[in-house]
Amino acid sequence: NAGVMQNPRHLVRRRGQEARLRCSPMKGHSHVYWYRQLPEEGLKFMVYLQKENIIDESGMPKERFSAEFPKEGPSILRIQQVVRGDSAAYFCASSPPRTSGSLGQETQYFGPGTRLLVL
Amino acid sequence: QKEVEQNSGPLSVPEGAIASLNCTYSDRGSQSFFWYRQYSGKSPELIMSIYSNGDKEDGRFTAQLNKASQYVSLLIRDSQPSDSATYLCAVNMANQGGKLIFGQGTELSVKP
């Protein structure tokens, strides 16, 4: 049973370019979360998606960042016009579907991450 | 006050000792609590989850939850050098949907 997959594992971009990060959740999981880890900082929530729906984007920067989880294919985190401050590790996590009364107990399993370096 | 707080460490213990990692959280209505381990340059790996007050044991690991004190801890018995990593406390807070709020992490070093 494959775990959460992310690609690319490493991505180098020059300032002003676009970065596309992809995440395929674990088999049977329908919830995807994106987190960012800046150097020497903790993990920060960015966005929570289900198929074709953004559930919570309260952690997303207001500009240049967008995310989607289409009906077919992986979830994509897109960063337009990257700046050096976007250099970080971006982790995707997935969890199984909610069951009634679960109260958010679904465990999130993390992918290997994409390390973005902006030159 | 940070939503989830951990001592940043580093916490250094000798091999074979008990390592105690602590975490406090601000939202009294928080429902679910998780401990992840993260090796340098790697992704977080789930160690334990706990939802009810009391202790939960899994091998050498014991998670303890005290909702009244808004405190969750992780004990590692018979610590091994391979346990050296950063341990992240994560909380799913009330009315926050599925997102996890992470502490800064505690760096643990187990000396042979």
Side-chain angles (χ1 to χ4, degrees):
Chain A
N1 187 16
V4 179
M5 293 190 289
Q6 289 187 249
N7 66 81
R9 298 286 297 273
H10 299 273
L11 183 61
V12 180
R13 285 288 179 266
R14 297 192 181 279
R15 282 179 295 170
Q17 292 184 318
E18 178 179 287
R20 282 192 179 222
L21 288 60
R22 289 176 289 278
C23 169
S24 295
M26 286 178 70
K27 187 176 181 180
H29 285 192
S30 56
H31 298 242
V32 165
Y33 309 81
W34 286 92
Y35 294 85
R36 177 166 65 174
Q37 190 170 38
L38 293 165
E40 307 303 323
E41 292 190 17
L43 278 159
K44 302 292 185 188
F45 167 80
M46 298 183 75
V47 62
Y48 163 32
L49 310 104
Q50 295 178 27
K51 286 285 187 183
E52 300 184 282
N53 281 305
I54 296 175
I55 307 302
D56 180 356
E57 56 182 348
S58 58
M60 289 279 271
K62 295 288 184 257
E63 297 177 347
R64 303 187 296 108
F65 285 72
S66 62
E68 63 177 2
F69 190 14
K71 187 176 180 180
E72 301 291 337
S75 175
I76 295 175
L77 178 68
R78 181 182 178 205
I79 311 172
Q80 295 178 291
Q81 299 175 332
V82 296
V83 300
R84 287 200 175 131
D86 296 332
S87 296
Y90 292 82
F91 292 101
C92 168
S94 73
S95 68
R98 291 272 170 88
T99 55
S100 60
S102 63
L103 299 177
Q105 293 180 354
E106 294 78 11
T107 298
Q108 295 180 25
Y109 298 91
F110 282 78
T114 294
R115 275 125 184 108
L116 172 65
L117 175 63
V118 180
L119 301 177
Chain B
Q1 181 189 7
K2 291 183 181 178
E3 293 178 292
V4 179
E5 288 201 69
Q6 297 180 250
N7 293 329
S8 60
L11 173 66
S12 183
V13 300
E15 184 175 356
I18 295 175
S20 178
L21 304 159
N22 305 316
C23 174
T24 57
Y25 58 95
S26 61
D27 185 350
R28 188 171 289 278
S30 297
Q31 305 279 359
S32 312
F33 308 86
F34 304 88
W35 283 99
Y36 287 86
R37 176 175 64 196
Q38 187 175 27
Y39 292 111
S40 180
K42 302 295 184 182
S43 63
E45 171 193 8
L46 180 71
I47 298 294
M48 293 278 286
S49 60
I50 187 166
Y51 311 113
S52 305
N53 278 329
D55 295 0
K56 180 181 178 182
E57 186 174 319
D58 184 0
R60 296 187 296 112
F61 299 95
T62 298
Q64 300 173 318
L65 176 61
N66 184 327
K67 289 187 177 181
S69 300
Q70 295 172 235
Y71 175 91
V72 58
S73 66
L74 180 70
L75 300 178
I76 307 174
R77 290 181 298 281
D78 188 23
S79 295
Q80 301 298 309
S82 59
D83 295 326
S84 298
T86 296
Y87 288 80
L88 304 170
C89 172
V91 178
N92 179 253
M93 296 189 171
N95 303 317
Q96 294 272 358
K99 72 181 181 185
L100 294 178
I101 307 298
F102 282 84
Q104 288 290 92
T106 298
E107 183 184 348
L108 172 66
S109 176
V110 181
K111 304 293 186 185

